[in-house]
Amino acid sequence: MLSQKLLDALNDQLNAEYYSSYLYLAMSAHCEAESFRGMAHWLREQSKEEMEHAMKFYDFILSRGARVQLKELPTPPNHWASPLAVFEATLAHERHITERIHKLLDLAVAEHDHPGQVFLHWFVNEQVEEEAAAQLIVDRMKMVGDSPGGLLILDRELGAR
């Protein structure tokens, strides 16, 4: 049985994952409006992936015989100064989510919740991938700088996701 403390934390993370999806969808819309369709595609796919993560929490909570608590989501930003700013924000957000997952795992350990620990280990590994992917994009954007040709090549590459 889930402790109330862990249940509350899992529900908070469920809602954080929904917000992640919402944020990446806002970023996708921004990139689309700026004619970076490849970046928009990458971010839309990222939004879908975050929704899948939210549903993993949703299903896990229900499988433990507990109640899901959906909360109001904050409005995400809708404009960024540059493609680099979009992906720097992506990287910062992924680092924030990693920190949250680590704290959740620490709580599951403290609560001696073994199923929760097993469940959360998947997210620990997933966050390594998420941060690495965002870091690579940021690094490449810094390499191309303000080069329109470089940004268009990167945009095309991201569109292949």
Side-chain angles (χ1 to χ4, degrees):
M1 179 173 206
L2 280 171
S3 71
Q4 188 62 49
K5 189 173 182 179
L6 185 55
L7 174 59
D8 290 345
L10 289 168
N11 269 309
D12 284 345
Q13 188 60 37
L14 162 68
N15 286 280
E17 298 291 342
Y18 278 128
Y19 176 77
S20 295
S21 178
Y22 204 33
L23 174 63
Y24 292 139
L25 196 57
M27 289 174 165
S28 176
H30 168 78
C31 288
E32 183 75 34
E34 297 293 318
S35 297
F36 288 112
R37 289 190 169 163
M39 293 175 201
H41 172 77
W42 191 95
L43 288 157
R44 184 181 288 221
E45 291 301 310
Q46 190 67 20
S47 174
K48 290 176 190 175
E49 190 173 294
E50 297 302 334
M51 183 61 69
E52 290 171 8
H53 294 172
M55 292 308 297
K56 284 180 184 286
F57 278 94
Y58 180 96
D59 291 336
F60 181 74
I61 291 167
L62 292 175
S63 75
R64 298 292 301 277
R67 293 218 177 238
V68 166
Q69 184 181 16
L70 300 178
K71 299 175 184 172
E72 185 175 345
L73 299 177
T75 301
N78 64 5
H79 181 78
W80 289 264
S82 66
L84 176 59
V86 169
F87 285 95
E88 286 177 331
T90 298
L91 178 58
H93 184 74
E94 288 302 334
R95 287 178 175 158
H96 168 71
I97 294 298
T98 296
E99 183 179 321
R100 291 180 60 97
I101 295 293
H102 290 177
K103 287 179 180 176
L104 256 177
L105 180 55
D106 290 344
L107 179 59
V109 169
E111 297 285 317
H112 305 289
D113 190 298
H114 300 285
Q117 292 173 47
V118 171
F119 172 72
L120 291 166
H121 276 283
W122 184 88
F123 285 94
V124 169
N125 293 328
E126 178 68 9
Q127 284 308 119
V128 170
E129 294 175 19
E130 298 283 5
E131 283 191 39
Q135 183 67 63
L136 180 62
I137 296 168
V138 167
D139 291 346
R140 288 184 175 175
M141 285 196 169
K142 286 180 177 179
M143 280 183 219
V144 301
D146 293 330
S147 164
L151 283 173
L152 290 175
I153 290 169
L154 190 52
D155 183 60
R156 183 177 35 185
E157 181 181 315
L158 293 174
R161 177 181 185 182

